[in-house]
Amino acid sequence: MISREEARHALTGPIMSLNTPFFANGEIDYQSISQIIDFTIDAGSKTIILTSGDSLYTLLTDAEVAELTKFVVAQTAGRAMVVAADRIWWTGKDVEFAKYAREVGADMVMVLPPDWAGSCTEDTLVAHYAAVAEHMPVMFVTNYLGQRPLALSLQVLRRLRDEVDGIYAVKDDICGEFGRRLGLLVHERWAVFASGTKREVLNNVPYGCDGYMSCFILIKPEVAHAFWDAVQANNLPQVRKIIADYDIPIWDELFSVFPGSFDAVVHGILELKGLAQRWRRKPYYSLNDREMAELADLMQGKGWL
């Protein structure tokens, strides 16, 4: 089983989150998954992360999540840490999945509990994580706490830090003031990494942040690493330049321009990079030929292809 120190090391720097690729008929494209994993490991990602969001669990069945998890572990073959992810299951199902993830060789499981209409309490959330952590090192993800009062969220985190030994890491999707308070609260105990723009990630760093989820690990890996190296060196002029030249343009000129959200663009980029096809299962939108040509022109104009 992976140690806390090994987990923190594996979550340091830019990290890859797997965007599940499909064929046009909706079948999962496992050959492309192999190519994406190999590319990102070669590009320096020390972890391969499956997430309920980026990995499109909203379009997968429970059986497909299990199959995908097993395939990713086998393809990674010990070259990087593998973080499995649940599919917002009730406690008993989550425990079953944690046992399964351990059996197939995953290193950690990201737990996103169901909390429709604020149905969980502080005690039931702590009990949920504790039950899963008995069987597998756990990564906490903050996504659902964005709808909860800050005081409650911090109290849950404080209790998990102090009461549940099996939590090793946290993925922060909220950042901002929440991310700063999170880092101050748990970084000495848990590895912390952030998702979102480089600007949002930068806000977390002084308060405790080991790494970040980066789309540039797929597009231009050298940019992903240069940003983190500049942050660690406190080279603020270089940090500002990378944000101005890459972070703001990709969100303002690519992710916000095309229909289907940023994920449709990421799948389009995978096709342009020769790593996968653009398709996502319906009813999610996939870029059409005209939009793919426009995306290619924008990418080439920036020197990103």
Side-chain angles (χ1 to χ4, degrees), residues 100-141:
Y100 170 81
R102 182 187 64 199
E103 289 170 2
V104 301
D107 299 292
M108 191 179 298
V109 61
M110 186 188 301
V111 174
L112 179 59
D115 190 34
W116 174 77
S119 294
C120 295
T121 66
E122 175 187 324
D123 287 339
T124 64
L125 285 170
V126 172
H128 181 79
Y129 289 101
V132 178
E134 286 184 13
H135 305 281
M136 186 81 175
V138 165
M139 174 180 285
F140 190 103
V141 57

Side-chain angles (χ1 to χ4, degrees), residues 106-179:
D107 299 292
M108 191 179 298
V109 61
M110 186 188 301
V111 174
L112 179 59
D115 190 34
W116 174 77
S119 294
C120 295
T121 66
E122 175 187 324
D123 287 339
T124 64
L125 285 170
V126 172
H128 181 79
Y129 289 101
V132 178
E134 286 184 13
H135 305 281
M136 186 81 175
V138 165
M139 174 180 285
F140 190 103
V141 57
T142 66
N143 179 284
Y144 72 102
L145 294 179
Q147 305 302 315
R148 289 302 210 127
L150 179 61
L152 171 67
S153 300
L154 294 176
Q155 178 60 14
V156 169
L157 289 163
R158 187 177 296 109
R159 285 189 57 189
L160 291 173
R161 179 198 64 189
D162 295 341
E163 299 175 22
V164 181
D165 186 61
I167 299 179
Y168 284 17
V170 55
K171 172 180 176 284
D172 181 23
D173 292 334
I174 301 174
C175 298
E177 175 60 16
F178 180 94

Side-chain angles (χ1 to χ4, degrees), residues 18-273:
L18 179 69
N19 301 87
T20 304
F22 299 91
F23 294 111
N25 66 2
E27 294 298 314
I28 297 174
D29 182 357
Y30 282 99
Q31 178 58 43
S32 290
I33 292 173
S34 297
Q35 294 177 175
I36 293 168
I37 290 172
D38 290 347
F39 179 90
T40 52
I41 290 175
D42 289 344
S45 178
K46 298 189 288 291
T47 297
I48 304 297
I49 293 182
L50 291 157
T51 75
S52 179
D54 286 348
S55 302
L56 296 181
Y57 281 11
T58 46
L59 300 179
L60 303 183
T61 67
D62 290 357
E64 287 172 328
V65 169
E67 182 181 14
L68 179 62
T69 302
K70 184 176 181 179
F71 184 88
V72 168
V73 171
Q75 180 62 31
T76 303
R79 295 174 293 161
M81 182 173 76
V82 174
V83 178
D86 67 12
R87 195 167 174 264
I88 317 180
W89 290 310
W90 73 285
T91 303
K93 175 69 173 179
D94 236 355
V95 168
E96 290 179 8
F97 181 72
K99 294 177 181 177
Y100 170 81
R102 182 187 64 199
E103 289 170 2
V104 301
D107 299 292
M108 191 179 298
V109 61
M110 186 188 301
V111 174
L112 179 59
D115 190 34
W116 174 77
S119 294
C120 295
T121 66
E122 175 187 324
D123 287 339
T124 64
L125 285 170
V126 172
H128 181 79
Y129 289 101
V132 178
E134 286 184 13
H135 305 281
M136 186 81 175
V138 165
M139 174 180 285
F140 190 103
V141 57
T142 66
N143 179 284
Y144 72 102
L145 294 179
Q147 305 302 315
R148 289 302 210 127
L150 179 61
L152 171 67
S153 300
L154 294 176
Q155 178 60 14
V156 169
L157 289 163
R158 187 177 296 109
R159 285 189 57 189
L160 291 173
R161 179 198 64 189
D162 295 341
E163 299 175 22
V164 181
D165 186 61
I167 299 179
Y168 284 17
V170 55
K171 172 180 176 284
D172 181 23
D173 292 334
I174 301 174
C175 298
E177 175 60 16
F178 180 94
R180 293 187 282 271
R181 298 286 292 273
L182 168 72
L184 290 171
L185 189 65
V186 305
H187 185 246
E188 289 187 9
R189 180 68 171 160
W190 303 347
V192 178
F193 80 107
S195 64
T197 68
K198 290 178 172 59
R199 289 155 282 169
E200 291 169 329
V201 170
L202 185 62
N203 286 331
N204 283 32
V205 170
Y207 303 89
C209 183
D210 299 290
Y212 75 110
M213 192 177 290
S214 173
C215 60
F216 273 99
I217 202 76
L218 287 169
I219 302 169
K220 285 182 73 73
E222 59 269 30
V223 172
H225 290 287
F227 171 74
W228 193 251
D229 290 345
V231 167
Q232 296 303 294
N234 200 30
N235 185 346
L236 295 183
Q238 180 67 4
V239 169
R240 288 195 295 269
K241 178 173 174 54
I242 292 171
I243 288 174
D245 291 349
Y246 296 98
D247 190 47
I248 292 176
I250 199 169
W251 286 95
D252 288 0
E253 301 174 38
L254 272 75
F255 288 164
S256 301
V257 170
F258 295 94
S261 87
F262 73 92
D263 187 66
V265 178
V266 170
H267 279 77
I269 291 171
L270 288 172
E271 181 167 305
L272 294 176
K273 296 284 291 186

